[in-house]
Amino acid sequence: QVQLVESGGGLVQAGGSLRLSCAASHNLYRIDAAGWYRQAPGKQRELVAQINSGGNTNYADFVKGRFTISIENAKKTVFLEMNSLKPEDTAVYYCNVLGEMVSFHEVDSWGQGTQVTVSS
């Protein structure tokens, strides 16, 4: 199975920026699509942003114009650049990767989550 390690979360003031990273283990051969999701306390997990290998992106309305998702396939890493952060962006952020392992098995993996806290 492919492991995903997220980093970049933390505490930031409203209006600030963070860059989340999601690095896949070496046995991932290719990323076909990836997404970032978030879950706030007492709420369901929701989609934040998606991207496919063709570079096509999809963003939730509440982050459009503020967040940018990208893939660096050579490093098997997915990024989420978050700007103009708001207190309501506070949540645990999870990455999800769809792709193929070096063993040719399909991959649908989730990271462990990284906490983002935005103070007012």
Side-chain angles (χ1 to χ4, degrees):
Q1 188 57 276
V2 171
Q3 292 186 338
L4 303 178
V5 178
E6 295 150 347
S7 60
L11 174 63
V12 64
Q13 288 188 333
S17 300
L18 286 173
R19 189 189 196 207
L20 304 184
S21 299
C22 174
S25 55
H26 69 279
N27 57 342
L28 177 67
Y29 173 68
R30 184 186 69 238
I31 298 175
D32 293 327
W36 285 95
Y37 295 75
R38 70 186 188 187
Q39 188 166 18
K43 295 187 177 181
Q44 290 188 333
R45 188 173 298 189
E46 59 186 358
L47 172 68
V48 175
Q50 294 173 310
I51 187 170
N52 64 20
S53 57
N56 299 304
T57 57
N58 176 48
Y59 295 93
D61 286 343
F62 52 77
V63 302
K64 281 183 180 177
R66 300 189 297 125
F67 291 11
T68 303
I69 187 172
S70 61
I71 295 176
E72 189 168 344
N73 235 316
K75 294 185 178 181
K76 306 296 186 288
T77 302
V78 185
F79 300 98
L80 184 68
E81 187 76 35
M82 306 187 295
N83 299 311
S84 302
L85 283 161
K86 305 174 181 179
E88 50 264 43
D89 293 319
T90 295
V92 178
Y93 283 72
Y94 299 89
C95 70
N96 172 245
V97 168
L98 304 176
E100 187 173 295
M101 296 174 66
V102 294
S103 58
F104 304 109
H105 290 91
E106 293 184 352
V107 170
D108 183 355
S109 290
W110 288 85
Q112 80 287 354
T114 185
Q115 177 69 48
V116 171
T117 303
V118 184
S119 63
S120 57

